[in-house]
Amino acid sequence: MKRRVAVTGLGIISPCGNTIDDFSSNLMAGKSGVRRISSAYSSLLSVKIAAEVDFSPLDYFIKKQLSGMDRVSQFALAAASQAWKDSELSLDAKEKERAGVYMGCGMGGGNAIEDLYDQLFKHNADRVKPLTVLMVMNNASASHISIEYGLSGPCLTLSTACASSANAIGEAFRQIRDGYADVMLAGGAEAFLTYGGFRSWEALRILAAEDPGDPSKSCKPFSKNRTGLVLGEGAAMVVLEEMERAVRRGAPVYAELIGYGSTSDAGHITRPSLEGQARAMAEALKDAGLLPEDIDYINAHGTATEWNDLLETQAIKKVFGDYACRVPVSSTKSMHGHTMGAAGAMEFIVSLLAIRNQAVPPTTNLDQPDPECDLDYVPNIGRTGVTVNTVMSNAFAFGGTNAALIARKVKG
Amino acid sequence: MIREEETLSTTFERLQQLFVAHFDYNIEELTPTTTLENLGLDSLDIIEFMFDIENEFNIRIPDREFKVTTIQDMVDALDRFISEQDSEQDIGSSIHE
């Protein structure tokens, strides 16, 4: 029999709050983290909104730690520390060898690399900050976490753009299930709200236009008047633990992670494929040994781009058949924006909170139904007092990578 | 432009100020005989700190030539670099003339 995997700790740094409880209550209340950006270069941009994290590094770190750490690793460590504390884990030296870190990150130390180029090309510097390499490298966050907690098992960084941290959690799940590790800190982080970052996304012409009445309502997944995605940042981490171990020590168990699907479109670098998305969801169901009707809530990838929302709707219909119209599906990106490498983990946490709270968060800003997007997207108002035993979380990425995770409430 | 109080400070005092600004140490911890090990600094910390030192003293420290144990070692090394680079500049300007 395969080993079972429990989720025993959660941590988050997000545009909708820097604690799990704030994040949870803000999403249920439909409170958006999207706002006008305040940086010096914002006047140069055509799109001036984003979902920024309100974060004071000195609340989490001493000055000496910060000099070699990009914002992305600061987020990652802050979220990891919450998750670790939440899990109430204490490992001895031998147990630490069976504990690892899997992180998802799309762009690495984006702020450090921008600072580097600014110094070199704009200010003609003849030398740059000594720790630049260590701030820019994409595996910095995972390594900092591994060092902080002494976790000496596998330590990998997965980079699959917007699916990065869903893949990280899925692959970490397999590490435990297949017996390579007993404990994994898994999740993702992203901090790419830089001038170059905004310009790069702007150039792809898929950023949402600012809502003329209220900037916080600019991201409108599945709505007829959707105009694109809103960039976000943050980090989300979970502690995964072999179930018997978790039960034996009386750990708080949020849910059991039971299914993971991972596919590639092998098609187009940006345009998603119905087939690829549907196969990821179907694989996750098969992995979990479930039928579509067993899923009580889907957290959609739901970017609010023309292509994603249409194809994801069709892919859900393909996998879920008649049941597709009855299962609640929401995109919380309407509130926390698209946090890229952190998105898969952040939205997996949203799904776990739906189990904890027995409540489903809304898709906000859904005011104009799109005839081609005709599922139950939980428009604008969250639902409390509903039965949520089993959840699916989707993450689809540029490059064509698709991931789906399924978790189930633990009876007890 | 160099402020008057800086021109009057010794290399040691300027280094002390840098330590305080960079690492948040108390100035009392920083005596000539204090070792970097006592301060809990490793080689990476020193590499990073050298960047600020180069800025403060307007010098470039050559690779592999900053082998120091105590703060006094740093002061001695810095005084050497400063005088070497001053004389290089003098030679440079005299050739130019």
Side-chain angles (χ1 to χ4, degrees):
Chain A
M1 199 179 114
K2 276 185 174 168
R3 289 161 30 116
R4 294 168 60 191
V5 179
V7 184
T8 57
L10 307 180
I12 201 138
I13 295 293
S14 87
C16 293
N18 293 341
T19 67
I20 289 293
D21 285 341
D22 284 353
F23 180 68
S24 176
S25 58
N26 283 333
L27 292 189
M28 280 308 297
K31 281 190 190 159
S32 176
V34 176
R35 59 177 185 239
R36 279 248 175 118
I37 52 173
S38 50
S39 60
Y41 51 76
S42 61
S43 63
L44 302 170
L45 298 168
S46 63
V47 175
K48 301 172 177 33
I49 47 167
E52 289 177 310
V53 168
D54 190 3
F55 186 80
S56 306
L58 289 171
D59 291 349
Y60 298 86
F61 305 98
I62 59 166
K63 208 166 157 188
K64 181 170 175 288
Q65 289 174 296
L66 289 172
S67 59
M69 211 187 278
D70 187 87
R71 183 171 170 90
V72 72
S73 294
Q74 295 170 25
F75 286 172
L77 267 170
S81 83
Q82 288 174 32
W84 194 253
K85 195 172 165 209
D86 190 31
S87 74
E88 298 169 6
L89 263 173
S90 165
L91 304 180
D92 65 29
K94 208 73 198 153
E95 289 171 319
K96 284 179 179 175
E97 291 179 3
R98 301 264 308 157
V101 184
Y102 274 15
M103 280 298 289
C105 185
M107 309 305 293
N111 286 274
I113 209 161
E114 185 143 311
D115 189 38
L116 164 71
Y117 292 155
D118 183 72
Q119 288 299 313
L120 284 179
F121 301 133
K122 208 168 163 190
H123 296 98
N124 297 317
D126 65 343
R127 76 213 158 114
V128 301
K129 284 188 186 163
L131 307 188
T132 297
V133 170
L134 312 180
M135 294 170 88
V136 169
M137 65 186 198
N138 206 359
N139 61 324
S141 296
S143 296
H144 281 300
I145 293 169
S146 162
I147 292 163
E148 178 69 25
Y149 299 101
L151 309 182
S152 54
C155 179
L156 299 182
T157 299
L158 292 90
S159 193
T160 53
C162 311
S164 298
S165 53
N167 283 134
I169 290 172
E171 298 297 331
F173 159 62
R174 288 180 177 172
Q175 286 290 309
I176 295 176
R177 193 172 65 175
D178 295 342
Y180 297 106
D182 298 325
V183 172
M184 295 291 292
L185 244 173
E190 200 79 79
F192 197 52
L193 299 183
T194 63
Y195 180 49
F198 278 109
R199 280 293 196 205
S200 306
W201 283 100
E202 182 187 84
L204 279 169
R205 299 172 190 274
I206 56 167
L207 292 183
E210 182 176 319
D211 183 279
D214 181 352
S216 78
K217 293 181 181 296
S218 300
C219 184
K220 308 170 199 288
F222 303 110
S223 193
K224 177 87 178 154
N225 59 346
R226 65 188 181 274
T227 55
L229 62 87
V230 173
L231 292 174
E233 61 175 354
M237 298 297 299
V238 298
V239 173
L240 303 180
E241 188 173 353
E242 192 271 319
M243 181 66 84
E244 280 184 21
R245 186 187 194 292
V247 171
R248 202 166 52 237
R249 72 179 181 93
V253 177
Y254 285 92
E256 179 180 1
L257 181 47
I258 55 173
Y260 169 49
S262 171
T263 67
S264 177
D265 294 340
H268 191 276
I269 195 79
T270 56
R271 189 184 307 154
S273 113
L274 192 163
E275 275 303 318
Q277 296 182 356
R279 281 192 299 116
M281 287 185 260
E283 294 261 337
L285 283 169
K286 189 176 152 203
D287 193 36
L290 296 182
L291 296 170
E293 290 76 10
D294 295 323
I295 302 293
D296 299 313
Y297 168 64
I298 300 173
N299 187 287
H301 187 55
T303 55
T305 60
E306 182 72 30
W307 274 102
N308 177 85
D309 292 4
L310 191 61
L311 284 196
E312 186 170 12
T313 298
Q314 291 169 1
I316 290 170
K317 285 181 180 175
K318 185 179 165 81
V319 174
F320 288 78
D322 291 344
Y323 181 63
C325 297
R326 299 202 300 278
V327 61
V329 177
S330 67
S331 169
T332 45
K333 284 192 177 75
S334 53
M335 294 170 274
H336 55 63
H338 195 339
T339 59
M340 305 291 154
M346 194 171 286
E347 292 160 33
F348 180 62
I349 286 179
V350 173
S351 309
L352 297 175
L353 292 172
I355 294 176
R356 184 191 79 170
N357 300 339
Q358 293 292 291
V360 171
T363 305
T364 55
N365 316 321
L366 210 177
D367 300 321
Q368 297 183 23
D370 178 347
E372 294 194 81
C373 295
D374 53 357
L375 303 177
D376 172 10
Y377 303 110
V378 197
N380 303 318
I381 295 172
R383 281 178 210 154
T384 53
V386 291
T387 300
V388 185
N389 290 324
T390 311
V391 294
M392 174 183 277
S393 181
N394 286 338
F396 310 134
F398 274 1
T401 304
N402 308 294
L405 296 164
I406 297 176
R408 181 169 59 195
K409 185 181 179 182
V410 175
K411 293 183 187 76
Chain B
M1 182 158 142
I2 301 167
R3 283 174 291 143
E4 194 179 354
E5 62 267 27
E6 282 181 2
T7 59
L8 295 175
S9 302
T10 64
T11 303
F12 174 72
E13 286 163 343
R14 288 166 72 187
L15 198 54
Q16 261 187 326
Q17 294 303 326
L18 267 191
F19 266 109
V20 170
H22 193 96
F23 297 111
D24 281 343
Y25 291 126
N26 293 318
I27 202 150
E28 300 81 45
E29 297 176 78
L30 306 164
T31 70
T33 55
T34 306
T35 66
L36 303 182
E37 200 181 342
N38 291 152
L39 294 171
L41 300 179
D42 65 17
S43 60
L44 199 58
D45 297 323
I46 304 302
I47 288 171
E48 217 227 328
F49 189 37
M50 282 163 70
F51 187 85
D52 285 2
I53 294 173
E54 287 184 336
N55 276 348
E56 167 66 21
F57 293 93
N58 194 26
I59 54 168
R60 291 293 179 267
I61 302 171
D63 286 355
R64 290 172 289 277
E65 287 190 30
F66 201 60
K67 297 195 176 72
V68 292
T69 306
T70 64
I71 293 182
Q72 187 60 48
D73 292 343
M74 292 177 90
V75 171
D76 295 343
L78 289 174
D79 283 339
R80 198 174 72 242
F81 293 135
I82 292 164
S83 68
E84 279 172 10
Q85 290 180 23
D86 280 352
S87 60
E88 276 171 30
Q89 278 162 15
D90 289 345
I91 293 164
S93 58
S94 64
I95 290 170
H96 194 71
E97 280 161 15

